[in-house]
Structures are given as structure tokens and as C-alpha cells.
Amino acid sequence: MTGQYGRAPVGIVSDVVLQRHRLQAAAAKFGLEVCFSGDPERLQGQPGFPEAGLWLVTLKDEADHQTLFDYLLESTEAPVLFGLDQAPASGSLEYFRWERRLLSKLEQQLGELEELEEQVEPTQLDSKSSLEELTEQAPETDVTLELPQWLTPATPGSVAEEVWVLCASLGGPAAVKAFLDNLPPGLPIGFIYAQHIDGNFAEVLTRVLGRHAHYKLKHAEENYRVKNGDVVLMPVEHEWTFESTGVLTELESPWPGPYGPSIERVLLNTADHYGAHCHAILFSGMGNDGVIAAPLLKAYGSRIWVQESTSCGNSSMPDSVAATGCSSFTGTPEQLARELVKTIEKSCLLKGRQKRDTA
């Protein structure tokens, strides 16, 4: 298994959130894809062992995770680098030196690596501090957002018949915030939000995206039905799906794949219940999440939209889905919001006309 730069991906294990982000940023900078990034418990709870060509392990206290070493040595023949230095603050001289030391260790195992130009560091986009900064940003629109005159506002607390899945990874929080900030209140739809982010940042993300928008984030809850106006955030730790009655339910197993929540699985699980009433928007993110689910959703009759490349922090994910030929609209977060309002208005007008014709 090789990544887009012809090298096997690396796996990252750390019980410190920031260290995982630092190592992932450095790996990306040197053209290495990451097939797993998580804490020791998450790795040992995976249904299948990730196929990494090299493992990077840094722990606060190795004595706290003695079973991890045996597990790694029994599960893979790939080299395992234990005891890596803790990364200092990014941008500092110490960080630069740490990065050089890490590069030297990587090249001893993988051969010469080439530093990529214009690589965006994940911690600069989706760290706790960068998320906090979004709370101070007012919506980039001076227009009072109102429902079109032909749309009747959704009754507060009413169950959503149409659900849009918002999918995002690196750079996603800023894009999704801009999208939600540009929606008028009262739209007759609910949202499921699948964001690759460390579970420790979930509360910050909830506060950030709800700062100015009419649509407030809420965490998924057992036996909850998605309501109009909801933005239900999928948890990181375990997989969630829908029962036949439409209520959310948590499974005991972790999400498949290196990151939680699995965007592919969120799309498929939602589409399994809502069918043609499930739609998706792929925002900024690394990797190619969504390329498997997109054709299946399209076969249901779902709409699949993607964020326009130049407005993304990283456009790999939306670009990959666009390349499947399944997407029907591309735009900035603001354009996606306007298109959604127009689409809902057309749909409601069509339903009204059909009711009159059959009366």
C-alpha cells in the first residue's frame, strides 16, 4: 500500500492530542500520508490493523501503555520508532530543530524525503487556538438573511424529512461556519456534521460554529431523531447509525479507518435510512473520503456538492469526490449556502404545484 507520493503511509500513536497533530503536520510536510493517528486505546480497538510502512510513537509515560509495545510488535513487521521527542510550539526555533531531527529519523527508515512547498500545517487550521479564533469572526455578510417568501418556516422541533450531511476534515470548521452563517433561519432541513477532529476539541467546535449561526450544533444522542434546524455532530469514538424508526443509535465498535468519524460510513449510514432524502456537501479536507459513498448516494437520487478548490484549506477531499463525476454543484461556502436555499425553494414550489394538480 503506497500513498500519492509513492511511499507507504505512516501510523502515529500518542496519548497527547497536540503531539499527534504535530507529527501529522510534519509527516504531511515531508510528503508522507498518515493511515492512522490516535491514542493507544483507539489503535488497539481497531477492527483491522492499519497497513503502515512505519510507526511513530510518542507517549507521556511509556509505563502507562506497556501492552501497546507487544501489540505493535506482534501486529506489524514495519519499523516502529519509539520515544520520539515531544514537539515544542510550532514556529519556534526549537520546533524547527525538532522537525529536522524527526526528518533525519524518517529518512533513516524511508530514504530521502523532499519537503513539499506551500504545505498547510493542520495545527494552524484546526488546533484549539485556531478554532477559538473563529468565535471572534463575525459572519462575512452584511445582508439580513431571510427565508424566500414561498417558504413556510419549519415548525421548531419538527422532525426533519430532508437531511444534508456536511463532511469536512482539514480546514473544515472555518468552511462549515461560513456556510452556516449564510443560511437563513427556518429552513425545513436538518444537518448531520461529520468532521475529522480530535474528540477533545468537540466542545470548542460546538461553541465556535454556534457563535453567530441560526443553526446550533448538538452532539448525537441515543434515540434522538434529527429535527429541522439541527446540526448533529457525529462523535469521534464510536460509530453511530439510524434504527428503522429514524432514531440515532451508538454502536459498540469504533469507526472504521484511521480517523473518526468515518465520513464514508456516516454518508452510507445516513443514506441507508433517508435514501433520496439524504444529500451531502464535501468541504475542505485531506484524503479522498467520500469517493466510495458518492456513487451510491447518487444512485439513490441524492445531491452531492463540493467546496470550490481555491476556497479550501486543503482541497484533496472535495476534489477527489468531484473527480468521481457524482457532484452536481461546486462553490464557496457562501455560494453553497445560497444554492441550498434556492434548491429548497424550488423543491417546495414543486411539491405545492403537485398538490394542486392532484386536488
Side-chain angles (χ1 to χ4, degrees), residues 347-358:
S347 176
C348 289
L349 287 171
L350 179 60
K351 289 178 182 178
R353 187 177 300 119
Q354 289 173 341
K355 287 181 179 179
R356 290 193 301 271
D357 291 343
T358 57

Side-chain angles (χ1 to χ4, degrees), residues 128-139 173-174 177 181 203-213:
K128 186 173 182 179
S129 60
S130 65
L131 289 175
E132 292 281 11
E133 289 175 3
L134 290 176
T135 63
E136 305 303 321
Q137 297 178 10
K177 182 180 188 305
D181 284 345
E203 291 301 329
V204 180
L205 185 67
T206 302
R207 185 172 68 255
V208 166
L209 269 69
R211 177 67 175 83
H212 298 286

Side-chain angles (χ1 to χ4, degrees), residues 68-87:
L68 171 67
F69 301 98
D70 292 337
Y71 180 71
L72 278 169
L73 295 175
E74 292 172 0
S75 301
T76 181
E77 296 181 358
V80 180
L81 298 183
F82 291 114
L84 297 175
D85 297 339
Q86 298 286 316

Side-chain angles (χ1 to χ4, degrees), residues 193 219-221 233-240 250 255 260-262:
Y193 183 18
H219 295 270
E221 298 175 3
L233 181 65
M234 286 288 101
V236 170
E237 293 80 11
H238 295 114
E239 182 175 352
W240 285 69
E250 182 181 12
W255 295 101
S262 164

Side-chain angles (χ1 to χ4, degrees), residues 309-324:
S309 298
T310 61
S311 65
C312 295
N314 189 298
S315 67
S316 177
M317 187 166 72
D319 287 350
S320 296
V321 172
T324 66

